[in-house]
């Protein structure tokens, strides 16, 4: 006997109502504050590592850049030290040729009473004067080999020192290992400027010093400016001494 499968009508109305109910419950469930918090926490825990990755990468790049800057500073200091050592050796050889190898300069330790921040025009007042055999024109040093100025006025127990970096000051200098002659001009605050022909190589870190039988460093080249169309290059250099922090100096007694 053949049984025919009975055709059942779809429960369209009841199914639709049930489906709408389920959708409504899901909407209410998702919209609830607790559920939103749950999904927010879930999303944060999942995406957190991806958000933190760029920050960690940036931090690593920044540390790497700082390390490179420190390495560059160390290299610059080494170059300056090398330049100074070469100057010292050249100075020793020169004095040997002139038969003055044993020449020892006489210096007088002096306390700085008034600093450039307290006086106009880059000047100092020191606690030694004519009673200590200080004379006008005597050069003033810091650390025995860095020259910073000269005695301008002498009193019995004090002296006025004008810094070579004072605006308007002009002084002959030698630059670099080859000792190129040039004229430097003070710009104030331990800063100087000079112009030399464009074809002569001057680089940052070159030492600028005064012509003398003893080492007298005036400054170190910090900026070399070359402008198209100009036959000269501007050289900016500054003293290695922080003038506003000076506590003592040495007067080179002639």
């Amino acid at each position: 006997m053949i049984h025919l499968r009975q055709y059942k009508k779809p429960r369209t109305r009841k199914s639709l109502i049930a489906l709408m109910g389920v959708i409504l419950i899901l909407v209410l469930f998702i919209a609830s504050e607790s559920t939103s918090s749950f999904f927010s926490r879930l999303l944060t825990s999942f995406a957190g590592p991806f958000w933190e990755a760029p920050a960690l990468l940036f931090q690593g790049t920044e540390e790497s850049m700082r390390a490179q800057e420190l390495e560059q500073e160390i290299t610059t200091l080494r170059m300056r030290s090398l330049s100074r050592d070469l100057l010292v050796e050249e100075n020793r050889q020169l004095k040997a040729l002139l038969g003055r190898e044993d020449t020892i300069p006489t210096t007088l330790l002096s306390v700085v009473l008034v600093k450039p921040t307290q006086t106009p025009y880059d000047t100092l007042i020191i606690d030694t004067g004519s009673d200590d055999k200080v004379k006008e024109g005597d050069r003033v040093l810091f650390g025995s080999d860095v020259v910073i100025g000269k005695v301008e006025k002498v009193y019995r127990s004090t002296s006025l020192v004008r810094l070579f970096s004072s605006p308007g000051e002009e002084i002959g200098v030698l630059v670099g290992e080859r000792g190129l002659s040039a004229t430097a001009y003070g710009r104030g605050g331990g800063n100087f400027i000079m112009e030399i022909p464009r074809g002569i190589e001057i680089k940052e870190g070159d030492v600028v010093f005064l012509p003398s039988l003893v080492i007298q460093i005036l400054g170190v080249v910090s900026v070399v400016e070359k402008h198209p169309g100009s036959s000269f290059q501007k050289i900016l250099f500054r003293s290695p001494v922080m003038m506003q922090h000076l506590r003592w100096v040495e007067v080179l007694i002639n």
Side-chain angles (χ1 to χ4, degrees):
M1 180 181 293
I2 300 175
H3 296 277
L4 296 177
R5 186 175 182 179
Q6 186 177 3
Y7 176 74
K8 297 182 179 180
K9 295 183 180 180
R11 295 174 293 178
T12 56
R13 186 174 180 181
K14 291 182 179 180
S15 300
L16 181 60
I17 293 175
L19 180 61
M20 290 179 63
V22 171
I23 293 175
L24 179 60
I25 292 173
L26 288 174
V27 170
L28 293 175
F29 181 75
I30 294 175
S32 65
E33 183 177 355
S34 60
T35 306
S36 298
S37 176
F38 168 77
F39 279 104
S40 177
R41 290 195 302 269
L42 181 61
L43 180 61
T44 301
S45 62
F46 177 76
F50 296 96
W51 294 340
E52 293 175 359
L56 292 174
L57 180 62
F58 178 77
Q59 181 179 1
T61 303
E62 187 178 31
E63 292 176 353
S64 176
M65 292 177 61
R66 180 55 183 165
Q68 292 177 3
E69 291 176 358
L70 291 175
E71 184 177 353
Q72 181 61 45
E73 291 177 5
I74 293 173
T75 301
T76 301
L77 291 175
R78 286 175 178 171
M79 293 296 295
R80 292 178 181 176
S81 177
L82 176 60
S83 297
R84 183 181 180 280
D85 292 342
L86 291 174
L87 289 174
V88 171
E89 177 60 21
E90 181 181 357
N91 184 261
R92 187 195 65 77
Q93 294 177 6
L94 177 61
K95 287 191 290 185
L97 290 173
L98 296 176
R100 302 173 68 178
E101 191 171 7
D102 297 329
T103 300
I104 300 176
T106 301
T107 59
L108 178 65
L109 186 65
S110 306
V111 175
V112 177
L113 300 176
V114 182
K115 303 177 183 181
T117 53
Q118 302 166 313
T119 59
Y121 311 115
D122 275 16
T123 56
L124 305 173
I125 296 179
I126 58 177
D127 72 339
T128 52
S130 59
D131 289 348
D132 306 292
K133 299 182 180 181
V134 175
K135 298 183 296 294
E136 293 183 4
D138 287 347
R139 289 183 178 179
V140 179
L141 313 174
F142 177 82
S144 300
D145 57 6
V146 178
V147 61
I148 61 174
K150 63 181 178 180
V151 176
E152 187 173 75
K153 293 182 179 180
V154 180
Y155 307 98
R156 286 193 58 186
S157 59
T158 60
S159 298
L160 176 68
V161 177
R162 180 169 298 280
L163 301 180
F164 285 130
S165 62
S166 178
E169 286 293 303
E170 178 181 329
I171 185 170
V173 298
L174 302 176
V175 186
E177 299 172 6
R178 293 163 50 187
L180 171 71
S181 297
T183 301
Y185 300 89
R187 303 185 72 187
N191 297 288
F192 301 85
I193 188 172
M194 57 185 173
E195 288 188 347
I196 62 174
R198 185 182 180 89
I200 299 176
E201 182 182 359
I202 298 294
K203 59 184 181 299
E204 295 181 11
D206 279 349
V207 178
V208 181
F209 54 101
L210 301 188
S212 174
L213 284 177
V214 294
I215 295 296
Q216 293 186 6
I217 298 173
L218 184 62
V220 179
V221 174
S222 56
V223 177
V224 178
E225 295 182 354
K226 297 180 181 181
H227 299 286
S230 175
S231 57
F232 288 88
Q233 53 185 332
K234 288 185 178 181
I235 310 298
L236 306 179
F237 68 96
R238 64 173 293 107
S239 172
V241 179
M242 301 295 289
M243 304 300 177
Q244 65 272 25
H245 296 155
L246 280 175
R247 298 179 60 185
W248 55 269
V249 294
E250 296 178 56
V251 180
L252 184 61
I253 304 298
N254 292 324

